Amino acid sequence: MAFSATLFQIMRLAVEAEEAGEKYYRRMAGIVKDDKVKSVCLFFAEQERDHARTFNRIAKQVKHDEHGVKPFSIDVVSLLEEGIRRFAETGLQKEMPNYSKVTVNQCLEMALQAEEETIKIYQDIQQALQAQYDVILYKIIREEMDHADTIRRV
């Protein structure tokens, strides 16, 4: 079975994923009790907002350069939409913590887990697309890896 999507669709979904991340971290900041954890959550929300802006700029660049719909072996759109839904609901966490009692270290671990999960989704897409959008996907993956590195340094 073949699936299809435009690069612009993929980039718009990448923007939506970052927006879901921003909302998740802002919601978490509103729940946590510790002010340090709250400031870490708000920092991550800003990082997600910056990524959304970056991906939005890329989307605008490719909107008019699109050379038609590309066929894929996997349903890229559904894969991204599922990731967005999971991020919005759970922050891509395997186990849901008691947010009101989250520590800074737990918050960092959760953020790193979310970034690593996001990177894996984009790498799976990149592999499935067989170099059709390699340059753009590389930019997305690089942004996510830089964000993960920022989390590791905190």
Side-chain angles (χ1 to χ4, degrees):
M1 176 176 225
F3 300 96
S4 61
T6 65
L7 181 54
F8 181 72
Q9 277 180 294
I10 293 169
M11 289 309 305
R12 285 300 310 146
L13 288 167
V15 170
E16 286 181 36
E18 298 303 316
E19 290 170 345
E22 178 186 358
K23 287 176 189 169
Y24 171 78
Y25 288 121
R26 289 195 189 284
R27 188 175 70 239
M28 194 171 150
I31 297 170
V32 298
K33 303 293 183 207
D34 186 308
D35 287 340
K36 289 178 187 174
V37 176
K38 187 179 300 250
S39 67
V40 169
C41 290
L42 293 173
F43 171 78
F44 291 146
E46 286 302 313
Q47 292 285 301
E48 298 295 335
R49 178 184 280 180
D50 288 345
H51 287 171
R53 283 188 212 133
T54 298
F55 295 166
N56 210 16
R57 279 193 299 275
I58 295 170
K60 287 177 183 176
Q61 290 170 359
V62 301
K63 183 175 184 178
H64 302 293
D65 293 340
E66 196 61 55
H67 299 294
V69 175
K70 303 284 186 184
F72 307 121
S73 60
I74 64 168
D75 189 350
V76 173
V77 172
S78 291
L79 184 63
L80 282 168
E81 287 174 339
E82 173 64 13
I84 292 165
R85 184 193 63 72
R86 284 182 45 233
F87 204 153
E89 291 175 6
T90 68
L92 300 174
Q93 302 306 302
K94 293 177 177 89
E95 294 181 27
M96 296 305 293
N98 178 346
Y99 286 111
S100 64
K101 296 181 180 180
V102 169
T103 66
V104 170
N105 283 342
Q106 287 173 313
C107 184
L108 293 171
E109 288 171 16
M110 291 167 55
L112 188 57
Q113 180 180 327
E115 290 302 319
E116 289 173 347
E117 178 80 15
T118 303
I119 290 166
K120 181 168 178 0
I121 290 169
Y122 287 121
Q123 286 174 331
D124 289 348
I125 291 170
Q126 186 179 38
Q127 184 177 7
L129 300 189
Q130 302 166 353
Q132 290 184 45
Y133 296 140
D134 242 8
V135 172
I136 298 298
L137 285 165
Y138 174 80
K139 288 179 182 180
I140 293 172
I141 292 167
R142 188 72 252 153
E143 279 286 323
E144 297 300 333
M145 288 177 149
D146 288 348
H147 194 201
D149 288 343
T150 299
I151 294 166
R152 286 184 189 100
R153 286 191 304 267
V154 173

